């Protein structure tokens, strides 16, 4: 998958000094890069029964619906508070500084539904774990999680131990 | 396209009293509804040369990348301020109350690139017109705009006069 990695731009000191930002917009704007990324995400789950793919606002919305299309599944958004219009389940979780809250429609996931969670980035895994808890709280089953980029040095997989975690492009630092 | 319309949920008094909200999450979670929507968006532009499809944070990210995939184009995000890591062009525009600002990477669009702007909703057209101005300011050419839902009574098309505007599902009130 070295070709895809070459399409990612590294931006030093963004959003703050000392952070090396892996910018996927250079991959997204590249027609062949976009196509190969979506195809690679779909191939991870092509033999599984998947009812819905979840993406988290905002960057998770980029890949999850395209993945859902290719798996013959639905797409379910997880959003920030007060964005979804019907009855929601919500979860609050700790960030490096402060807390964040996410919501999902209660009627979006049925008991026993098999769910894939897709996002552009696996960092510490805090957001992904919060979404796992939302899904399981509604009776859904997490069939797997898939990320375009994984920052392995942040050990997000440890927080997702016991789940089927996939990623396309890995960074060790 | 009546079948797609039947998958949209109407939520009265959201986000505030007197507003009837057309909720597409019920369409998105329906595998066949999602598939048919993406296919219908793509069929609007299947004979055109399109270099990139633009989606605006956050809901515009849902359809634009899938559309780009099907057109063999790239995807370019337009985001809220301070989200994109490289050099940006920005535009401020008036909302019903106050102002909003959007940004795009300067290197995302080249001179003469043919661009489709895709969003879930055409309301007053203010956001869409701001994106048109961003694209043209970078030397791009707006090949067309496509929306899943159009609220015809808000006359967004008038603000986009002269452009090729398509929509899949229309509401008169």
């Amino acid at each position: 998958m070295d070709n895809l990695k070459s399409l990612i731009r590294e931006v030093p000191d963004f959003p703050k000094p000392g952070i090396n930002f892996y910018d996927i917009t250079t991959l997204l704007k590249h027609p062949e890069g976009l196509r190969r990324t979506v195809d690679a995400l779909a191939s991870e789950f092509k033999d599984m029964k998947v009812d819905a793919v979840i993406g988290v606002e905002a960057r998770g919305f980029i890949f999850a619906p395209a993945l859902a299309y290719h798996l013959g599944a639905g797409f379910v958004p997880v959003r920030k508070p007060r964005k979804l219009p019907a009855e929601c389940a919500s979860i609050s979780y700790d960030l490096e500084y402060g807390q964040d809250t996410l919501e999902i429609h209660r009627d979006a996931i049925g008991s026993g539904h098999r769910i894939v969670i897709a996002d552009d980035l696996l960092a510490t895994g805090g957001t992904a774990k919060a979404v796992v808890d939302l899904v399981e709280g509604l009776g859904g089953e997490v069939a797997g999680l898939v990320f375009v980029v994984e920052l392995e040095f942040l050990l997000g997989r440890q927080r997702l131990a016991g789940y089927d975690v996939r990623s396309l492009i890995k960074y060790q630092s």
Side-chain angles (χ1 to χ4, degrees), chain A:
Chain A
M1 214 46 88
D2 274 329
N3 277 345
L4 288 185
K5 200 173 203 174
S6 71
L7 292 174
I8 291 180
R9 169 165 55 190
E10 300 191 25
V11 182
D13 299 320
F14 185 89
K16 57 186 181 184
I19 303 286
N20 195 35
F21 189 85
Y22 295 101
D23 176 21
I24 61 165
T25 68
T26 39
L27 180 155
L28 294 167
K29 76 173 179 179
H30 192 284
E32 176 75 5
L34 175 65
R35 188 184 66 70
R36 284 190 53 210
T37 303
V38 171
D39 289 347
L41 292 171
S43 76
E44 295 287 337
F45 297 101
K46 68 181 189 303
D47 296 323
M48 290 190 197
K49 179 187 175 297
V50 177
D51 295 299
V53 180
I54 288 182
V56 180
E57 178 176 6
R59 274 158 35 190
F61 288 4
I62 294 174
F63 293 107
L67 176 57
Y69 179 101
H70 286 272
L71 297 177
F75 165 66
V76 172
V78 165
R79 300 205 65 179
K80 294 172 179 152
R82 295 174 298 282
K83 297 282 190 176
L84 291 168
E87 194 191 347
C88 287
S90 76
I91 190 167
S92 295
Y93 63 104
D94 292 330
L95 299 173
E96 193 182 0
Y97 303 102
Q99 270 207 336
D100 211 351
T101 300
L102 293 173
E103 294 189 343
I104 190 171
H105 275 151
R106 283 193 177 277
D107 63 5
I109 293 177
S111 178
H113 279 189
R114 288 176 56 81
I115 306 297
V116 165
I117 299 164
D119 211 345
D120 65 329
L121 180 71
L122 175 58
T124 65
T127 299
K129 181 59 168 64
V131 178
V132 165
D133 291 345
L134 277 177
V135 168
E136 295 181 343
L138 293 174
E141 181 187 335
V142 176
L145 302 97
V146 67
F147 304 89
V148 176
V149 171
E150 176 176 5
L151 306 182
E152 292 187 308
F153 54 98
L154 295 179
L155 307 178
R157 268 175 200 265
Q158 290 187 5
R159 195 177 283 193
L160 299 168
Y163 295 94
D164 182 353
V165 178
R166 319 282 183 103
S167 67
L168 303 184
I169 303 166
K170 302 173 206 298
Y171 291 95
Q172 272 79 44
S173 65

